[in-house]
Amino acid sequence: MKIQNICCIGAGYVGGPTMSVIAQKCPDIQITVVDVNAARIAAWNSEDFEKLPIYEPGLSDIVREARGRNLFFSTDVDTAIDRADMIFISVNTPTKTYGLGKGMASDLKYIELCARQIARVATTDKIVVEKSTLPVRTATAIKNILDNTGNPVQFQILSNPEFLAEGTAVADLFNPDRVLIGGEETADGQRAVRALVDIYARWVPAEKILTTNVWSSELSKLTANAFLAQRVSSINAISELCEKTGANITEVAQAIGMDSRIGSKFLKASVGFGGSCFQKDILNLVYIAKSYGLDEVADYWEQVIIMNNHQRQRFAHRIVKTLYNTVSDKKIAFLGWAFKKDTNDTRESAAIYVADYLLNEQALIQVFDPKVTAQQVYADLNYLNSRAEIDNEKSVQVHPCPYQTCQNVHAIAILTEWEEFNTYDWERIYQQMHKPAFVFDGRNVLDKAKLEKIGFIYAAIGR
Ligand code: UDX
Ligand code: ADP
């Protein structure tokens, strides 16, 4: 079976880049990315390629090449569903904020809406691909809805979790460590699996395309993220011990990373992991384990989150303690707001939590991030909303220039590892600050010796 027409529901951080790359690699396949968010679709269709709704290195060039040829962005969900042979579901699955499973389970309402819409609209057989991260056995729910509502057409459900990391999405899609495709172990299921394998095989070597049953695929995605997040929490736990003992976390990470059984990646101590996946996926794993009565399994993984929350908090606490136990009415500059470099995504970014803590201590915060808008910063703080009595618009200012951001501040906190921070004129920044001038490096990215020579008092995670 050869796929000619693809529809992707959800034009976000997963759907947008993934479909752009498939479109570039498969010019003979027509791809329509649809979304209910009209502003987002308009931004994808923008004539100015710098205005795409998602910032990813290399993405705008791909969209420039494929858009209008075989890549289309639209709000007409029904038409795109009806025309497609294969439908990717790439809608968001945030952690539930209400009811049963609140704060832990994934909210599958958008997934369910998609399934119902597909069932209502489809007049021909479809392969439905779960791209969003979903709790294990979600495919059963989707299949139930598809098979029991709407027209009598055949649906095959595949799980094809996305492993791309934001900031390196295009490179990860071009050159994935593996592509995972889970399908039913029936003849029809296997035919659907092959149709999707054939698409990836255009640019991914065969030995990197792994096929499994649907449940293994769904659970592998959660497990991969849980293991990665666990590494970050593990190194962060040791960073606190380093600060007490005089060991240096960068040296410790290098020393353990050279053990080939441990490996050197994902050992950067930080102010805490963020992003839309790690916390959500672990909470999901914890919730699933609990629902099967596996309390020890649940507690084991929950500790990864507890450690992460602790890391954010203790960074903020260290700032307050160092600034003579009070930050009331002191200005603190935040360099970086995104959850990591090379993305404009701020979901679960440590910066939000550190800012919240400091605002509770009555600090004034000035923010600069190369890719995050002021509107987004306020939206993030208002969403967290732990301080009804504090007016974020008064206490927080967002500047388009790093030098302006650091003017007259008592301290600078580095929240994201943007490379440009290293290239700034730190002499000039020093001149503009209150003395003593403090830098709290939450990402271990600045040159300690250089800053100390200028006169800064420098403190970093794990050092
Ligand atoms: C992650 C997974 O890597 C990806 O495979 C999955 O598909 C989605 O979730 P992402 O959230 O985009 O990707 O970013 P990732 O690079 O994994 O970083 C997550 C967080 O961990 C970031 O806040 C990052 O700064 C932090 N991190 C990462 C560290 O603090 N230290 C490290 O050594 C690595
Ligand atoms: P992710 O990181 O998983 O890609 P995003 O929030 O960036 O998450 O993107 C998900 C997109 O899915 C959003 O743009 C949202 O508007 C869209 N979406 C959610 N539900 C539906 C739906 N039922 N139909 C179409 N689009 C939807």
Side-chain angles (χ1 to χ4, degrees), residues 315-316 318-324 326-327 329-335 358 363-367 402 405-415 426 429-430 432-441 451 456-459:
F315 181 71
R318 192 173 174 194
I319 296 177
V320 178
K321 217 170 91 194
T322 313
L323 297 181
Y324 317 109
T326 174
V327 288
D329 291 328
K330 286 181 183 163
K331 281 190 183 167
I332 300 175
F334 272 37
L335 294 183
L358 295 174
L364 303 169
I365 294 181
Q366 317 240 89
V367 181
T405 308
C406 296
Q407 211 151 31
N408 293 324
V409 299
H410 289 85
I412 296 172
I414 308 285
L415 276 306
W426 285 95
I429 292 175
Y430 181 76
Q432 299 173 339
M433 286 176 65
H434 286 291
K435 309 293 175 319
F438 293 91
V439 170
F440 297 93
D441 189 347
L451 266 72
F456 283 104
I457 299 178
Y458 176 88

Side-chain angles (χ1 to χ4, degrees), residues 6 107 133 181 185 196-197 303 344 351 364 383 404 424 455:
I6 289 177
D107 192 341
T133 304
I181 301 173
E185 288 154 322
L196 186 53
V197 168
Q303 191 59 35
N344 61 346
L364 303 169
Y383 183 74
Q404 208 182 341
Y424 292 170

Side-chain angles (χ1 to χ4, degrees), residues 233-246:
S233 273
S234 297
I235 200 74
N236 284 347
I238 301 299
S239 76
E240 187 169 16
L241 200 52
C242 283
E243 287 164 31
K244 295 281 182 223
T245 56

Side-chain angles (χ1 to χ4, degrees), residues 115-366:
R116 290 190 185 279
Q117 193 161 7
I118 295 170
R120 181 169 52 76
V121 170
T123 53
T124 54
D125 294 354
K126 312 278 180 211
I127 298 172
V128 176
V129 185
E130 300 175 349
K131 197 79 198 157
S132 318
T133 304
L134 297 169
V136 61
R137 295 207 76 93
T138 301
T140 323
I142 299 183
K143 188 148 178 56
N144 263 332
I145 294 170
L146 290 174
D147 287 348
N148 294 302
T149 40
N151 303 312
V153 295
Q154 290 294 312
F155 292 104
Q156 273 302 323
I157 320 284
L158 300 178
S159 159
N160 172 220
E162 191 49 75
F163 292 108
L164 66 81
E166 288 173 34
T168 52
V170 172
D172 293 346
L173 285 161
F174 277 167
N175 196 9
D177 283 347
R178 80 314 209 172
V179 168
L180 180 57
I181 301 173
E184 260 184 40
E185 288 154 322
T186 58
D188 283 345
Q190 290 305 303
R191 213 169 300 127
V193 167
R194 271 199 305 280
L196 186 53
V197 168
D198 287 346
I199 293 175
Y200 285 108
R202 310 259 196 123
W203 77 95
V204 179
E207 67 275 12
K208 288 194 172 175
I209 304 179
L210 181 65
T211 59
T212 65
N213 77 31
V214 178
W215 325 122
S216 303
S217 173
E218 287 182 337
L219 187 57
S220 298
K221 168 71 185 199
L222 294 185
T223 308
N225 278 343
F227 270 61
L228 289 169
Q230 182 197 39
R231 269 177 86 89
V232 178
S233 273
S234 297
I235 200 74
N236 284 347
I238 301 299
S239 76
E240 187 169 16
L241 200 52
C242 283
E243 287 164 31
K244 295 281 182 223
T245 56
N248 175 330
I249 195 65
T250 315
E251 292 173 354
V252 173
Q254 190 186 4
I256 65 162
M258 283 170 77
D259 186 324
S260 61
R261 294 166 302 176
I262 298 173
S264 62
K265 291 182 183 156
F266 255 71
L267 284 179
K268 284 201 202 89
S270 66
V271 55
F273 61 73
S276 66
C277 284
F278 281 4
Q279 175 159 320
K280 183 185 80 177
D281 289 356
I282 294 174
L283 288 173
N284 224 312
L285 202 59
V286 170
Y287 185 71
I288 292 167
K290 277 204 177 127
S291 71
Y292 287 110
L294 309 177
D295 288 343
E296 291 78 5
V297 177
D299 292 349
Y300 178 77
W301 287 108
E302 193 169 12
Q303 191 59 35
V304 174
I305 304 281
I306 294 172
M307 184 61 223
N308 199 49
N309 291 337
H310 171 67
Q311 188 77 348
R312 294 161 169 171
Q313 216 177 45
R314 83 179 185 85
F315 181 71
H317 184 70
R318 192 173 174 194
I319 296 177
V320 178
K321 217 170 91 194
T322 313
L323 297 181
Y324 317 109
N325 276 323
T326 174
V327 288
S328 180
D329 291 328
K330 286 181 183 163
K331 281 190 183 167
I332 300 175
F334 272 37
L335 294 183
W337 190 263
F339 81 97
K340 63 189 275 197
K341 70 174 177 179
D342 291 337
T343 179
N344 61 346
D345 194 352
T346 63
R347 286 176 287 183
E348 291 301 328
S349 180
I352 307 168
Y353 294 88
V354 175
D356 189 64
Y357 185 102
L358 295 174
L359 288 167
N360 270 313
E361 294 284 338
Q362 301 182 349
L364 303 169
I365 294 181
Q366 317 240 89

Side-chain angles (χ1 to χ4, degrees), residues 8-17 34-38 40-41 44 54 74-75 77 81 90-94 109-115 117 131-133 166 276-277 280 345 347:
C8 172
I9 309 180
Y13 284 90
V14 171
V34 292
D35 203 297
V36 285
N37 182 337
R40 209 167 213 189
I41 291 296
W44 279 111
I54 282 162
S74 163
T75 49
V77 183
I81 289 176
S90 306
V91 300
N92 37 340
T93 49
K109 94 176 151 202
Y110 304 112
I111 296 279
E112 182 173 338
L113 279 171
C114 281
Q117 193 161 7
K131 197 79 198 157
S132 318
T133 304
E166 288 173 34
S276 66
C277 284
K280 183 185 80 177
D345 194 352
R347 286 176 287 183

